[in-house]
Amino acid sequence: MFKDLNYSYILLFLIATLILSICAFILPSVLTSRNKNTKLSNDHYECGIKPFSNTVNIFHIKFYLVAVLFVLFDVEVTFLIPWVTSLGSSMYYGFISMMIFSSFMAIGFLYEWYSGVLEW
């Protein structure tokens, strides 16, 4: 089934991802200044204008739950697009595995629906 698949591209992609991730963590600490305790950096706004009111806004938990729901279904679509393009070669095994995956996503959606997260 996987005789024609070349894994070198996957390995190259993983190495490039690892290098970019390490650079994303190391470069900000190397490129920024070391003096972090200035009055300007401790201010809420760094534009020089004094804040008019309290700058801390409290968000309702439902905003975060809807964001998690969005990310959840965004990941599902990310898995569905390659599945649809390769459905002809995977046949029943691919279909059954995607239906199991989609049923888990549907169970999560139904849980959020019945728990009242989607009602405002």
Side-chain angles (χ1 to χ4, degrees):
M1 183 171 166
F2 296 111
K3 294 177 184 175
D4 298 337
L5 188 61
N6 189 358
Y7 289 106
S8 62
Y9 292 115
I10 297 172
L11 181 65
L12 182 66
F13 179 74
L14 289 175
I15 290 171
T17 304
L18 182 67
I19 290 171
L20 286 174
S21 300
I22 290 171
C23 289
F25 280 112
I26 292 175
L27 280 177
S29 64
V30 172
L31 296 177
T32 58
S33 65
R34 300 289 180 210
N35 189 8
K36 304 260 186 213
N37 294 325
T38 63
K39 182 179 182 327
L40 184 62
S41 66
N42 291 331
D43 198 11
H44 294 291
Y45 298 106
E46 295 183 2
C47 62
I49 299 173
K50 299 289 183 192
F52 298 112
S53 64
N54 189 6
T55 58
V56 178
N57 294 331
I58 298 174
F59 288 103
H60 200 272
I61 190 68
K62 288 188 178 185
F63 287 113
Y64 296 109
L65 293 176
V66 169
V68 167
L69 183 69
F70 174 75
V71 169
L72 190 76
F73 285 104
D74 192 38
V75 168
E76 183 181 15
V77 169
T78 304
F79 284 125
L80 279 176
I81 292 173
W83 172 74
V84 168
T85 58
S86 66
L87 184 60
S89 62
S90 62
M91 293 304 288
Y92 294 113
Y93 175 73
F95 181 76
I96 291 171
S97 62
M98 189 50 70
M99 289 302 113
I100 292 171
F101 176 72
S102 295
S103 66
F104 284 134
M105 301 297 283
I107 290 169
F109 177 69
L110 290 174
Y111 172 74
E112 286 193 355
W113 190 352
Y114 287 124
S115 65
V117 171
L118 301 176
E119 296 175 5
W120 291 92

